[in-house]
Amino acid sequence: MTTSRPFASVRAGSTARHSFFLRALVVTAAAGLAVPAQVAVAQTPSTGSIVGTVTAAETSTPLSGVRVSIEGASRSVLTDESGHYRLPGLTEGRYVVTALRLGRTPARDTVQLAPGASVTVNFSLVHGAILLPGVVTTATRGVEAAGHATATVNVLPTEAVRTSPARTVDDLLREMPGLELPRTSSTVSGPEEIVSIRGTDEGRTLVLADGVPLNDPWGEWIEWNRVPRQAVDRVEVVEGGGSSLYGNYAMGGVIHVLTRPIAPRTVIATASGGSRDAADVSLYGSEVRGRLGVSLDGDYGSGGGYELLREDQRGPVDRESEVKRRSVNARAEYALGNASTLSGTVGYFNDDRSLGTLLTEPNSRRIWSGSARGSFGNVGGGRMNVTVFGQDQWYVSHQASVAPDRSVETLALAQTIPSHDIGGSIDWSRPAGPFQRIAVGADVRLMKGRLDEDVFDAGGSFTGKRSSGGSQQIGGLFVQGILAPVNRLRLEMSVRADGWRNNDGSRVDNTSGTPEVTTFDSRTDGALSPRLGARYELGSGVAVRASFYQAFRAPTLSEQFRTFFGGPNVFQGNPELGPEHLTGGDVGIDVTPGSGVEFRLTGFWNQMRDLASFVRVGDAPGGGSLLQRENVGRARSRGIEAELALHPLDALTVAATYNYDDTKVPSTGQRVARVPLNRGSARVTYDAPRLFTGTLIYRYEGTNTTIGGAPLGAFAVVDADVRRELTRDVVAFLGVENLFDRDYAVNLLGPLEFQGLPRTVRGGVRIVVR
């Protein structure tokens, strides 16, 4: 409905109502965490340690660089050259200890630790997986061996992260199967960064960092630089509908970035410089004192940008793009005893960008964030996890119109998007009867955002202001069961119910002299998301798996309330949007014919309906069309994914992936934008630290289309990384992206062609003191 109420009163009412929900959630979460903490402090048990040695099963020789960790805690250590490790600061209780190393089968042991005691746990590791090493937590929201999951799971392990020349997290992900990222690296792009899995297109993939959503509360965008490249430990990807466990945003799947665990007395400093004044500096430190473990990391990067347009299309207004980032993150973890912990993080991130012309500056984002987590053992015979998180964002951007000869630019829009969110989750799991694991859980997220715009005419004169926004509260409940009715069969079943409510929606337009204020009624909606997965071991080294799932995505605040212009056309949001739905499935086979050889093949299909698409609903005031988002879009994707890994020598790993993703709009036969039909990668790594560590990565992307439907040609690039130990604590490295300096288009805007990252050389040193 339309009203003449002042905009200030609209905003004041919505803020007060949203603050009530935020305070209620904070008080509830704080009470849930405070009780166990008070009990633990009152008990003040003395601390002990777990020590031991890790060896190779076939030779009994010590294995260095094996990660030994405690399940349910973020603490871990690496074995030294003698294969020894020590996990200090542990209180009385029962612990599950794991030992992980790429190319070795993970080992687990359960120990009971007495107050102040030291227990010895030795491991002997046999040869194991390269494609699915170790354990994963994302597939089932619990610790599982990666090779046991019924879903399609991919892992970028610690060793692959360490040897990649990539400068940012999104560039790390480009060699992973199943993911579709924009061709433009986040080192030079705008901050509205997206990712797709299996053709579900932008904004339909949940991205987590240590269990906390990275998806922007306004438009679901992902600021990859919030997780410093040097802080990444590993990445887990679950493909296919993940709403049955994770609810909103997980319609296409889940990407989980896990950061470096807390280790006793560790300092890691990295400094590098390179092409086009690129400079990166990062510092990480962690320490364990008794029951308390702490870590602190800082990251700074600048330079490395380039002129985005093809050389013959540039004009006087064009300049090099650049991203300057700064971040600080602090974390603490406290051992409560009985294998229980409390932890908390606080972070600050600031990002300033130049997008290739003077008037597109400033383009910046500032984010404060925090989270708290409690993991409690022996709660009703199982484990309970409680998490609360929140963030406050401030995003500023400028848009300009440029003359055809690129000689003059005129400011068109100055945008500010303040947004914040707070959320929490609780889950509990345990074995029960025939179930290897049952789990129940719930989570909630409360989001508020607003787009404020200063609008300018064709001559650059200020014409007025526009503003739109609202709030959304969304939450869900899930239940999961994992069965092994016979020795070789594993079944995973989960279902989740979600509901959400949109409040305080309003749109204000003050660009024509008379303010027009529109407020929208509250709206409530919901969705049900089931999943069934199975895995069957056919014989030694051969397993088949299959999944069927339904998933959804609720409309974002931006889709509901934002209005924007494209030439004479007006594009407006729709507060009456309903959820998008996906029905899909996959089947796959995993083959390990012998030691050092692995192969995986997966076929998938997804049917998407009620997609939010723009529909013409009338004439715009300027003579163009008025378009509004409606739930009318349909798409389907089907394809195959193939992965091969060879490990002929302990130091040599060869891996390759191929994706075929045929994603189309059924009514027109047109391919969905930004989803390549063919994509592949190959990696060769020789890892002998005393000699050298070298990696070559080949990446290919077939023909694609822009968001506007313009065709983009295929391209291939090679990246390289070489590093050498100078001393036990100092490593020198040299990385090259686009080694052969291939030209390729990343976007087309009318006649303008934007180019991909040119050859970028970066060298530096890494100092590790333990």
Side-chain angles (χ1 to χ4, degrees), residues 43-77:
Q43 293 175 344
T44 60
S46 57
T47 62
S49 60
I50 298 175
V51 300
T53 303
V54 184
T55 58
E58 64 278 6
T59 62
S60 298
T61 56
L63 289 176
S64 62
V66 179
R67 171 164 294 166
V68 184
S69 57
I70 300 292
E71 288 188 6
S74 64
R75 299 188 191 184
S76 74
V77 293

Side-chain angles (χ1 to χ4, degrees), residues 67 73-74 135-144 152-158 161 169-170 172-173 176-177 179 181 195-197 205-215 222 224 227-228 231-240 242 245-246 249-250 252-260 331 345 371 373 385 387 389 425 427:
R67 171 164 294 166
S74 64
V135 298
V136 293
T137 61
T138 313
T140 61
R141 291 186 69 152
V143 178
E144 297 284 352
T152 303
V153 179
N154 294 297
V155 178
L156 191 69
T158 305
V161 172
V169 173
D170 61 315
L172 267 178
L173 300 177
M176 296 194 73
L179 302 187
L181 290 146
V195 64
S196 172
I197 295 180
T205 298
L206 176 63
V207 181
L208 302 170
D210 293 331
V212 174
L214 280 184
N215 301 74
I222 301 140
W224 297 106
V227 184
V232 178
D233 181 62
R234 69 186 191 277
V235 183
E236 299 175 2
V237 176
V238 179
E239 299 183 47
L245 291 179
Y246 291 94
Y249 299 156
V254 182
I255 300 172
H256 195 177
V257 182
L258 295 113
T259 60
R260 190 184 305 276
R331 178 172 53 176
T345 62
S371 65
R373 177 182 173 87
N385 300 301
T387 302
F389 62 87
S425 67
D427 64 77

Side-chain angles (χ1 to χ4, degrees), residues 23 42 54 123 153 166 285 415 424 455 552 561 576 665 676 705 742 768:
R23 287 195 298 269
V54 184
F123 294 101
V153 179
Q415 299 180 324
V455 183
F552 81 99
F561 303 119
E576 296 300 317
V665 177
T705 57
R742 300 299 190 196
V768 181

